[in-house]
Amino acid sequence: MPTPNPAFVPPAQLTSRPDLQGTFGMAAATHWIATATAQSVLERGGNAFDAAVAGAFVLHVVEPHLNGPGGDLTAVFATASDPSPVVLVGQGPAPAGATPEHYRAEGLDLVPGSGALAATVPGAVDAWLLLLRDHGTWELADVLAPAIGYARDGHPVAPGVVRTITAVQDLFREHWPTSAAQWLPGGAVPVPGDLVRNEALAAVLDRLVDAGDGSDSRTARIDAARSEWAEGFVSEAIDRSVRQPHRHASGTDHAGVIRAADLAAFRASYEPATTAEFRGCTIAKTGPWGQGPALLQTLRLLEPLDDALLDPSTEVGAHTIVEAQKLAMADREAFYGDGDVPLDVLLSDAYSDERRALIGERASAELRPGTVAGLERAMPPARTSSSAGDGAGVGEPTVQVARDTDRAPVAQAAPVAPVVPVEDRGEPFVAPDGETRGDTCHIDVVDRWGNIVSATPSGGWLQSSPTIPELGFCLGTRLQMTWLEPGTASTLRPGERPRTTLTPTLVLRDGVPVAALGSPGGDQQDQWQLLFLLRWIVGGYSPQQAIDAPALHTTSFPGSFWPRTWEPAGLVVEDRLGDDVIAGLEARGHVVTRAGDWALGRLTCVTRDPATGVLGAAANPRGAQGYAAGR
């Protein structure tokens, strides 16, 4: 076990789950069935990539409110033969017909948070098949068998799925009858534990397997399935379905613009990871078409500071960390997108030194991006909660923050709305109109040979848009992360990827992977991962201790999800941080929302010690759904 750093608050000795250790293989995911599926593949001789793909397709079935085949994914991985971190790009681009002019002609000033107008080209399925083809060993039929079985024969539906269906049941009944047919069996919301089936999805997966019949090699069989997905019955069904106008989160009806030709033009790909050094470790993330480099920027800001300033469990540590995150996230808004992003500048010593000097003793309530010589970009509009609905359709549905009965609500220290969406408290936020923020899932796998993968699949959740009846799934809503205003780094442009929130992480020491980790949580994903990295790398916590420790995050930057609002100086904390620490943060000007004792963070991780071959895994207890397994 690691040695705790005396500069940090000591970690809890009693953890919610054990730190798993073994030498054979480890898997951790946000649903126990996906974890068990991945581990079962390892047990039968599959490698980490076979296991991750099998578990991921099961996640489509058992966490349909968090991801689906019509969604997207990013992954960071390394192989036993090559430890260099590689990014699997399963983020599809905007369709050819998705232009700002089209959306404005439809009477919209934001891409809606639900409905087919928010759909990118689905990227998840092709990405998983690409990873399986190039780095797995199993046949597609064997990898898909668990997902097909759970879809056709049923699985006990989790409470989170039921809560989501409950939230959108009226939308389904009144506007999306195909979704009602799938998710309201017999016209009623299922009860947790009911067996839920998806015959149409099982048939889709069967047809992908059948597409390879007659091919003379494993590679050809998988490529045949990829072609069937992109150019066959799936793309044709999507094209037909989205042409029918349907209700969007804007409160108005529109047809989608994605077409079969958009799917045919897309294939998943690989690219080198973006990396930065921190305290003897290399942290590997996606490129700036994702939010991942914002974590790297934050680590660069924190790198030279005293250890005591890096402890999230203290007032000064939490304040310092949050102020650094605000600066990095402001740069995300100013610079990140699917184009030329000056990462060499943003991660440089000189730029980091300049930005670090902005961290003061008081909480900043400003959006403060940096400047890069020779680069001029428009900043997107800064919408607060109170003005979110000005011309944006139905505005921002919010849910009153739950508070302990013996505790008065926290006073608001700034002129912002006194209620915070559930998503901003770390819980998935689903409104009755299908608007969803903060949702996704995650899976990590490491095997005895040293293959390791961290993947965050998302999108295409059941509340995204009407279910396509012959497919059993719907499209994603990632385009809501683009702007219709011209000249921003993330303006909607046909053929370009939206700036995704999906951000898995690989950690290396001496050039060799030692951990894969990630979390659901929208804009909070890297914020919660940062807490883990600081406590594990600097604080000397074990992985499970780091996952269990009290969490927090800032909402003081524009959100990635419709309606793109922010809360100046906003800070959300778990009550376990302690009254004294919370009071100190409020005294510094943070607008604090208490989220409850166990509310923030959804991390899972797997680890590997290259010197001994000992493997490890840990999983989040919050939400009572994530699980780790291994031996």
Side-chain angles (χ1 to χ4, degrees):
M1 297 293 285
T3 302
N5 185 338
F8 273 54
V9 171
Q13 293 306 300
L14 180 62
T15 56
S16 65
R17 283 111 183 254
D19 278 285
L20 303 187
Q21 289 190 306
T23 56
F24 179 80
M26 295 281 169
T30 49
H31 194 290
W32 62 87
I33 292 181
T35 298
T37 297
Q39 187 66 22
S40 75
V41 172
L42 296 178
E43 297 289 349
R44 289 177 287 158
N47 68 15
F49 304 111
D50 300 316
V53 177
F57 276 95
V58 167
L59 285 173
H60 289 167
V61 178
V62 300
E63 290 194 317
H65 62 313
L66 303 177
N67 78 138
D72 36 44
L73 87 94
T74 63
V76 188
F77 69 91
T79 66
S81 60
D82 184 357
S84 302
V86 177
V87 173
L88 173 65
V89 183
Q91 177 57 65
T99 65
E101 293 76 19
H102 177 82
Y103 289 74
R104 293 198 180 279
E106 294 280 311
L108 302 169
D109 65 355
L110 282 171
V111 177
S114 68
L117 274 180
T120 56
V121 177
V125 168
D126 189 66
W128 285 125
L129 297 185
L130 176 66
L131 185 68
L132 179 67
R133 185 196 72 181
D134 294 344
H135 298 290
T137 63
W138 275 26
E139 288 286 346
L140 179 60
D142 297 325
V143 167
L144 294 185
I148 292 171
Y150 283 119
R152 178 163 288 128
D153 301 330
H155 70 281
V157 65
V161 181
V162 173
R163 286 194 296 270
T164 297
I165 296 172
T166 300
V168 294
Q169 59 179 311
D170 291 339
L171 171 69
F172 286 4
R173 291 189 178 101
E174 296 172 17
H175 299 288
W176 296 0
T178 57
S179 295
Q182 170 60 41
W183 299 110
L184 299 173
V189 176
V191 174
D194 282 355
L195 284 181
V196 171
R197 296 175 173 82
N198 192 333
E199 292 276 0
L201 177 56
V204 167
L205 299 180
D206 278 336
R207 290 183 68 175
L208 295 183
V209 173
D210 292 345
D213 285 352
S215 298
D216 58 4
S217 71
R218 175 181 171 277
T219 295
R221 286 187 285 275
I222 295 174
D223 279 339
R226 296 177 68 199
S227 295
E228 184 63 36
W229 172 270
E231 303 170 23
F233 73 98
V234 173
S235 61
E236 293 167 0
I238 289 172
D239 191 314
R240 287 193 303 270
S241 175
V242 302
R243 293 175 186 267
Q244 181 66 37
H246 53 275
R247 184 57 49 91
H248 284 57
S250 57
T252 49
D253 292 352
H254 310 273
V257 294
I258 191 170
R259 297 292 179 261
D262 295 310
L263 277 83
F266 173 77
R267 292 296 187 276
S269 60
Y270 305 113
E271 63 183 42
T274 302
T275 62
E277 302 301 310
F278 177 76
R279 299 294 183 95
C281 294
T282 301
I283 313 300
K285 304 292 288 184
T286 70
W289 50 269
Q291 69 171 329
L295 174 60
L296 304 183
Q297 284 193 248
T298 308
L299 291 171
R300 298 285 288 124
L301 294 174
L302 299 175
E303 164 86 23
L305 301 182
D306 291 342
D307 289 0
L309 297 177
L310 305 187
D311 184 356
S313 295
T314 66
E315 175 198 328
V316 66
H319 169 77
T320 303
I321 292 163
V322 165
E323 293 305 298
Q325 287 174 325
K326 291 179 188 177
L327 295 172
M329 296 303 263
D331 279 352
R332 185 192 76 165
E333 294 308 304
F335 301 114
Y336 288 19
D338 194 11
D340 292 330
V341 179
L343 275 185
D344 56 337
V345 175
L346 300 179
L347 294 173
S348 68
D349 290 343
Y351 185 84
S352 299
D353 292 345
E354 176 185 329
R355 298 286 280 161
R356 190 181 303 111
L358 296 176
I359 299 175
E361 296 298 316
R362 298 280 301 169
S364 170
E366 301 176 54
L367 191 63
R368 300 182 291 175
T371 58
V372 175
L375 182 63
E376 295 290 336
R377 286 210 173 113
M379 281 293 287
R383 304 165 185 261
T384 63
S385 299
S386 58
S387 62
D390 295 348
V394 298
E396 179 177 20
T398 56
V399 178
Q400 188 73 39
V401 175
R403 292 177 169 82
D404 294 340
T405 56
D406 60 349
R407 192 191 310 278
V410 175
Q412 302 295 306
V416 295
V419 290
V420 179
V422 173
E423 177 266 338
D424 288 341
R425 295 166 50 224
E427 296 288 345
F429 173 81
V430 180
D433 60 7
E435 176 205 343
T436 302
R437 285 172 285 155
D439 269 11
T440 188
C441 49
H442 188 78
I443 186 168
D444 302 304
V445 185
V446 62
D447 64 30
R448 62 190 183 274
W449 301 289
N451 300 300
I452 189 168
V453 56
S454 173
T456 310
S458 186
W461 41 65
L462 64 89
Q463 64 275 19
S464 292
S465 58
T467 298
I468 302 169
E470 56 265 62
L471 302 181
F473 62 82
C474 56
L475 298 175
T477 58
R478 193 65 59 184
L479 279 189
Q480 67 182 293
M481 297 179 181
T482 62
W483 296 99
L484 301 183
E485 287 77 9
T488 77
S490 52
T491 293
L492 173 61
R493 286 178 278 267
E496 291 191 5
R497 293 168 292 191
R499 187 198 69 216
T500 181
T501 54
L502 306 180
T503 177
T505 299
L506 209 62
V507 181
L508 301 90
R509 285 197 182 105
D510 300 321
V512 180
V514 294
L517 64 137
S519 173
D523 290 317
Q524 281 74 258
Q525 290 179 34
D526 276 327
Q527 298 196 60
W528 295 335
Q529 291 180 60
L530 174 66
L531 306 180
F532 175 93
L533 293 172
L534 293 175
R535 285 169 168 143
W536 181 55
I537 296 172
V538 184
Y541 287 35
S542 74
Q544 192 64 52
Q545 288 172 335
I547 287 175
D548 283 357
L552 70 157
H553 65 263
T554 176
T555 54
S556 190
F557 57 89
S560 295
F561 293 85
W562 188 90
R564 312 302 302 273
T565 57
W566 74 310
E567 183 184 24
L571 178 62
V572 186
V573 303
E574 287 187 329
D575 291 44
R576 292 184 297 128
L577 200 61
D579 291 344
D580 290 345
V581 172
I582 294 171
L585 292 168
E586 290 174 328
R588 290 175 180 264
H590 295 279
V591 182
V592 176
T593 297
R594 293 176 182 253
D597 282 341
W598 293 86
L600 308 179
R602 294 289 183 272
L603 273 78
T604 66
C605 77
V606 296
T607 62
R608 181 176 185 269
D609 183 341
T612 64
V614 171
L615 310 177
N620 167 64
R622 301 164 179 90
Q625 193 164 300
Y627 226 76
R631 65 175 180 88

